Amino acid sequence: MTSFASFTAALLSQAWSAMLVFMAAVAIVLALRLPCRRLFGAGRALQLWSLVPLMLLTAAWPRMPGATASRLPPVVVRIVTAPAALSAPIAVTASVDWRTLLLAGWAAGVLMMLARAVVTQARFRRQLAGARRVGARATDGRCGAQRGRMLALRW
């Protein structure tokens, strides 16, 4: 396995566990938000969202270099290290890891959507090329309805 493939596999393993912890943290906050708002008020319910980054840091802490898990309760250590046990390295004879292909497919999708947005914006700008102002006045230079009149401004 090349160094890039091993780096990608390690990165995806950490991203997977971080995503699971993030989803669990958001679910917990969403479940506790309404009861907390009823009991303690809106300000305290808003502070629950600070638990999400704290849970992400807690999940990454045992894997940090030099960190010891002896101070954490055994239940927390077992939950945090479970994704690492599930993603134990398996001997694979394929030359390309499936996670690398998944990452490349995701990046290709992002680039395609970016290209589509650029083309759509260019098409919109071309359509506005011959536009002129219709109506009595334009106050702020934006397109839109103002007092029942439609404004179309040239850029």
Side-chain angles (χ1 to χ4, degrees):
M1 188 180 273
T2 64
S3 64
F4 178 72
S6 63
F7 172 74
T8 305
L11 182 66
L12 286 174
S13 173
Q14 289 179 355
W16 177 254
S17 66
M19 184 183 65
L20 289 176
V21 169
F22 177 77
M23 289 185 335
V26 168
I28 290 170
V29 168
L30 287 175
L32 293 177
R33 192 178 52 157
L34 189 60
C36 184
R37 192 174 85 199
R38 286 183 187 149
L39 293 173
F40 306 113
R44 295 289 183 205
L46 184 63
Q47 289 176 350
L48 282 174
W49 288 106
S50 64
L51 293 176
V52 175
L54 288 175
M55 288 182 74
L56 284 171
L57 285 174
T58 304
W61 185 69
R63 294 188 194 130
M64 290 180 187
T68 59
S70 61
R71 291 185 168 176
L72 293 174
V75 174
V76 174
V77 174
R78 190 175 306 137
I79 290 172
V80 170
T81 58
L86 293 176
S87 64
I90 300 171
V92 178
T93 58
S95 61
V96 179
D97 191 17
W98 66 271
R99 290 174 267 189
T100 306
L101 291 176
L102 184 67
L103 183 64
W106 175 81
V110 167
L111 291 176
M112 286 189 327
M113 292 306 294
L114 179 65
R116 182 177 178 214
V118 167
V119 168
T120 304
Q121 181 66 19
R123 186 181 305 139
F124 175 69
R125 297 285 303 256
R126 274 196 312 273
Q127 289 174 350
L128 285 180
R132 59 184 174 79
R133 183 173 17 164
V134 178
R137 62 187 178 108
T139 57
D140 58 359
R142 291 184 289 169
C143 293
Q146 179 182 6
R147 293 187 186 171
R149 295 184 180 174
M150 187 67 170
L151 301 175
L153 302 177
R154 184 177 182 151
W155 290 6

